[in-house]
Amino acid sequence: MKHTFFRILLVTALLGPAVAAPVHAAEVVELRQPNAAKVVVKLQFRNGSAADPVGKEGLTFLTSQLLTEGGTKDMTSAQLKNFLYPMAARYYATTDKEVTTFTFEFHRDFIAKFYPVLRGLLLTPSFTQEDFDRLKSNQLNYVEQVIRASSDEDYSKFALEDQLFRGTRYQHMTRGTAAGVKSITLADVQKHYATAFGNDNLTIGLAGNYPTSFAKQVESDLKKLPKSSVKTAVPVAAMPNGVHIEIISKPDALGSAVYAGFPIQTTRAQDDFAALMVANSWLGEHRKSYGKLYDKIRTTRSMNYGDYSYVEWYEAGGSNMLPVPGVPRHANYTSLWLRPVQIAEGLRKQYPTELGDLKVGHAPFALRLAVREMDNVVKNGLSKEDFERTRTFLRSYVKLYGTTPAKQLGFLLDSRFYGRKDWLNDVDGQLAKLTVTM
């Protein structure tokens, strides 16, 4: 399959001018499920970490956490937990580069009882100093300690984004920077809530078995949110001249986590994205052992644990076997993830007789092999047999993306972000139309 896919490997990019992400009037997306016992409400705001003010990196994330982990004017956070426990209801917030999404899941029998909580969290949050201090401390601990110590693999992914989007509001992690989080005050959160979470940058999603009056009430109440004055600038990453590499040295590391990539223009907004999915799946579907990278690097050479490729950001790859909604982006890139690759010191200890004088670990060889396989896809495409087998697999596989009402609704909201009606449903038709000679 010869299609615009991988052109050049790099680890950083020069950046072109930023463009503003489109802001739209509030709309309601409904997924009626008459036999469902659960009701799901998703509120997706077009802000995200790219809307963080300069010097306050992490503010959008902290604001969203304070809204869901704090209290309301009627109940403290502790009282809310006690009140909701018998209902088995749950709610949480996720923040990505361009969107922040609040998810509420509860049994339909508790609509009348639970809804005042939802409304209070979004419209009349308490914003207490105690809740703020607790959540800010947790966030700062993650930025300063957890991400550096708990997962070199995730750290490598954030490091690549830092390079790809350097100098833009896409550069920092969604949880922010140490300096940014430290500088945030409760007053900053209150101001950001009032300016970034508006009724004009909101998409309301409803799924399950609920009365029409409930949908109308949600829409009517959330109109009380003020207009948003925060605009998200989306960076345009340009191809660099050559290969750029950054190495983060950790003396106590047991292996090398390699994440490399380059910007591409194609997102789910274009039908061509389906072609990228086929080539990417053949090369290295996330956490799957049949990909070409996995076969060459792990199965044949036993260099590491896993080798995968991506044509968009993949959220929490260490724990999610399938792509999840809630992370749509207008600025896209493709990448290779080699996790983790043994270093020379570890190999010398493991094989003192055979490799006692080894100076270089597996990382350079694994990366060279991965680049070679990527290059082969670009130059030679896929055979008709590989194309048909991979496409057939994907037409079934993508149906697993929406295994719950919350995920189905999430992908519907993401579809609206990309200007589509229902990407998860449409992609099967897009895959069906592909040919190996495109």
Side-chain angles (χ1 to χ4, degrees):
M1 188 186 82
K2 296 180 179 178
H3 186 272
T4 302
F5 184 44
F6 299 120
R7 294 300 180 196
I8 182 174
L9 179 72
L10 60 124
V11 186
T12 189
L14 301 176
L15 295 160
V19 296
V23 176
H24 64 138
E27 67 171 313
V28 179
V29 177
E30 295 193 60
L31 179 62
R32 291 279 182 175
Q33 298 172 318
N35 297 321
K38 180 188 290 186
V39 176
V40 181
V41 178
K42 280 185 176 286
L43 309 175
Q44 188 175 90
F45 291 89
R46 301 284 181 92
N47 46 38
S49 61
D52 292 342
V54 175
K56 302 288 182 181
E57 289 78 12
L59 178 57
T60 304
F61 180 88
L62 183 53
T63 303
S64 69
Q65 296 306 299
L66 195 54
L67 285 169
T68 51
E69 297 294 328
T72 69
K73 70 178 181 64
D74 297 319
M75 292 187 186
T76 66
S77 57
Q79 288 172 332
L80 281 174
K81 287 181 173 60
N82 291 333
F83 177 72
L84 296 174
Y85 182 78
M87 302 184 204
R90 71 172 190 143
Y91 55 87
Y92 54 92
T94 57
T95 298
D96 194 53
K97 300 293 186 183
E98 293 186 57
V99 300
T100 296
T101 307
F102 297 90
T103 302
F104 303 85
E105 300 180 57
F106 50 96
H107 196 280
R108 68 179 308 275
D109 290 349
F110 297 122
I111 289 178
K113 196 172 183 180
F114 179 82
Y115 181 66
V117 173
L118 186 159
R119 181 174 54 201
L121 290 170
L122 267 296
L123 297 181
T124 57
S126 59
F127 287 142
T128 67
Q129 188 69 47
E130 180 182 4
D131 288 332
F132 170 81
D133 291 340
R134 168 174 54 87
L135 294 169
K136 177 179 175 178
S137 176
N138 291 343
Q139 187 170 332
L140 184 60
N141 182 59
Y142 177 88
V143 172
E144 288 190 320
Q145 302 294 332
V146 174
I147 186 56
R148 300 173 189 271
S150 66
S151 176
D152 291 345
E153 295 159 344
D154 282 341
Y155 197 33
S156 70
K157 296 175 71 175
F158 295 138
L160 174 63
E161 291 203 324
D162 182 274
Q163 296 172 62
L164 280 172
F165 302 110
R166 191 156 291 166
T168 77
R169 304 314 294 158
Y170 252 57
Q171 178 180 346
H172 60 277
M173 295 187 299
T174 57
R175 284 177 170 84
T177 64
V181 176
K182 287 178 182 177
S183 72
I184 297 173
T185 65
L186 180 56
D188 291 329
V189 169
Q190 293 169 321
K191 180 181 178 181
H192 198 59
Y193 161 73
T195 58
F197 294 84
N199 59 32
D200 57 334
N201 68 347
L202 167 65
T203 302
I204 301 169
L206 302 171
N209 183 9
Y210 53 88
T212 301
S213 58
F214 175 71
K216 292 181 178 179
Q217 184 175 18
V218 173
E219 182 179 13
S220 175
D221 285 340
L222 292 179
K223 284 182 179 179
K224 298 174 184 176
L225 289 168
K227 298 291 183 183
S228 171
S229 61
V230 171
K231 309 301 178 185
T232 301
V234 180
V236 178
M239 284 292 182
N241 181 20
V243 177
H244 296 236
I245 297 175
E246 286 192 12
I247 297 175
I248 300 173
S249 180
K250 294 184 68 174
D252 58 343
L254 299 177
S256 298
V258 180
Y259 198 56
F262 55 88
I264 56 175
Q265 300 300 315
T266 308
T267 68
R268 295 186 189 186
Q270 291 85 39
D271 288 356
D272 281 352
F273 189 79
L276 296 185
M277 291 175 66
V278 175
N280 179 75
S281 183
W282 180 84
L283 186 62
E285 188 80 56
H286 177 74
R287 301 292 290 274
K288 304 298 179 290
S289 60
Y290 63 80
K292 180 62 66 172
L293 296 178
Y294 192 101
D295 176 62
K296 293 286 188 177
I297 301 174
R298 174 175 172 172
T299 303
T300 302
R301 292 168 176 81
S302 300
M303 285 188 180
N304 67 342
Y305 174 77
D307 306 280
Y308 317 112
S309 65
Y310 307 88
V311 288
E312 61 181 348
W313 169 254
Y314 200 105
E315 179 68 16
S319 55
N320 286 320
M321 294 292 290
L322 293 158
V324 295
V327 289
R329 302 181 179 186
H330 288 105
N332 202 14
Y333 62 94
T334 191
S335 56
L336 297 171
W337 195 22
L338 315 181
R339 54 182 298 236
V341 188
Q342 284 188 288
I343 61 176
E345 180 182 0
L347 290 167
R348 287 196 301 268
K349 290 179 178 179
Q350 191 172 359
Y351 306 101
T353 302
E354 301 91 336
L355 303 177
D357 59 349
L358 189 69
K359 304 298 182 184
V360 180
H362 283 160
F365 305 101
L367 182 57
R368 184 182 302 171
L369 182 53
V371 174
R372 177 183 181 275
E373 294 303 324
M374 176 187 284
D375 195 45
N376 283 339
V377 176
V378 174
K379 292 179 178 178
N380 305 318
L382 304 185
S383 68
K384 183 174 179 59
E385 180 183 5
D386 286 336
F387 167 75
E388 292 293 354
R389 181 169 55 245
T390 306
R391 179 175 64 164
T392 299
F393 164 77
L394 276 177
R395 292 187 66 182
S396 296
Y397 188 62
V398 295
K399 293 177 173 61
L400 299 177
Y401 289 11
T403 53
T404 67
K407 289 180 179 179
Q408 293 166 19
L409 183 60
F411 280 111
L412 277 178
L413 296 186
D414 291 354
S415 296
R416 297 302 197 273
F417 177 94
Y418 288 117
R420 310 195 74 105
K421 183 177 181 181
D422 186 352
W423 176 82
L424 199 55
N425 181 66
D426 295 343
V427 71
D428 181 68
Q430 295 164 15
L431 289 168
K433 293 177 182 178
L434 294 177
T435 66
V436 73
T437 55
M438 286 185 67

